[in-house]
Amino acid sequence: MKKTFFALTTLVLTLVACDMRPPLKVGYEAPPDLQEERDSTIYGFCGRASNSKTLQLITSTDDTLYFNVEEARKKGRVMADYQRGDEIYVLPDSDRTKALMTINKNHLLGEWVMPSPYDGSSPAGIVLKDGGEAESFEQQGDILYKSWRIINGRLQVVETRDDGTDIDYVQTYDIIRMTKDSLYLKNDEESFEYGRYVPEPEENLGIDLDYDSQESFDLW
């Protein structure tokens, strides 16, 4: 009997020694670096009652909210302003009565470029599309943009490398300033100054061709 008890005790001690990790508790919360950032951004459309001091936001659930934007405007946190019908991201205060920041989605979308960092000659940049899709502008180098979103007033972009590894990287940028034609971003390492892409006008060689002239079709 004593031998049996000794054997069972030895087995229990051995199992405990093999795994000394404490069990997960109910309500366990992952470390901050593994948690999904909670987004407090409110998205909707600019209503007809909006003015320079107040933004009327009509959400996708047909709720109508009003935000005071005076302080945000003074601090330069009204990005590209707004007008009736524009799609707007709002970063609200805790009471949801003031806008800490507004971002005009209509003006955020599009082709944003700057001189190529490789040779400075041709433009390079990012294309932000409706629906959260992103792509590289006239692909140069090995960066491939895949998607974008606004989270807590910041622009988050998912990108990968054209090196066959198929690994996604998440870059998060502070929007420093935005107008209809300019976009200034900053992350932990550097700043980026983009301008909206404007195609160069076709060169006029000064030669007018008269295709309607009957003489062009006369046979001699």
Side-chain angles (χ1 to χ4, degrees):
M1 183 67 178
K2 291 183 178 180
K3 291 183 179 180
T4 303
F5 177 79
F6 178 78
L8 289 173
T9 303
T10 303
L11 177 61
V12 170
L13 291 174
T14 301
L15 292 174
V16 172
C18 289
D19 190 0
M20 298 299 293
R21 295 173 298 176
L24 293 181
K25 299 178 180 179
V26 176
Y28 169 78
E29 206 170 67
D33 58 332
L34 298 180
Q35 295 182 31
E36 174 72 14
E37 184 178 359
R38 294 181 179 179
D39 185 21
S40 59
T41 307
I42 302 175
Y43 175 78
F45 293 85
C46 176
R48 67 173 67 190
S50 298
N51 54 50
S52 61
K53 297 181 179 180
T54 303
L55 169 64
Q56 180 192 41
L57 191 74
I58 303 172
T59 69
S60 57
T61 56
D62 285 333
D63 292 326
T64 301
L65 307 175
Y66 293 87
F67 297 96
N68 185 298
V69 298
E70 290 182 275
E71 187 174 347
R73 193 177 292 280
K74 289 178 182 178
K75 293 181 177 180
R77 307 305 288 164
V78 176
M79 302 296 173
D81 219 330
Y82 49 77
Q83 60 183 3
R84 179 184 175 185
D86 286 346
E87 299 179 71
I88 307 294
Y89 295 99
V90 177
L91 182 61
D93 68 349
S94 57
D95 296 329
R96 292 165 65 110
T97 58
K98 294 182 180 180
L100 303 178
M101 181 181 187
T102 68
I103 303 171
N104 190 319
K105 179 186 173 183
N106 294 63
H107 296 311
L108 180 63
L109 298 177
E111 301 171 320
W112 295 104
V113 297
M114 60 182 176
S116 170
Y118 297 98
D119 56 17
S121 58
S122 56
I126 185 172
V127 182
L128 302 178
K129 297 185 175 183
D130 200 8
E133 182 183 355
E135 63 181 35
S136 303
F137 180 87
E138 296 187 3
Q139 176 62 34
Q140 297 184 22
D142 63 347
I143 298 179
L144 299 174
Y145 298 112
K146 300 178 67 175
S147 63
W148 70 274
R149 68 170 178 167
I150 293 294
I151 179 167
N152 292 320
R154 307 176 78 195
L155 175 64
Q156 196 172 83
V157 179
V158 176
E159 61 186 49
T160 187
R161 301 289 186 270
D162 190 18
D163 55 7
T165 58
D166 196 28
I167 298 176
D168 289 342
Y169 302 87
V170 178
Q171 299 283 357
T172 304
Y173 302 91
D174 290 316
I175 303 176
I176 305 302
R177 188 164 72 89
M178 187 180 87
T179 68
K180 292 187 294 185
D181 302 311
S182 62
L183 179 63
Y184 297 81
L185 304 177
K186 184 178 185 301
N187 61 15
D188 295 334
E189 300 176 354
E190 53 188 327
S191 300
F192 303 87
E193 182 176 342
Y194 292 98
R196 190 173 297 281
Y197 175 68
V198 179
E200 294 184 3
E202 295 183 5
E203 185 177 358
N204 187 354
L205 300 178
I207 301 176
D208 295 327
L209 300 178
D210 186 5
Y211 292 105
D212 295 332
S213 174
Q214 183 61 39
E215 295 178 0
S216 300
F217 300 95
D218 288 344
L219 296 179
W220 297 90

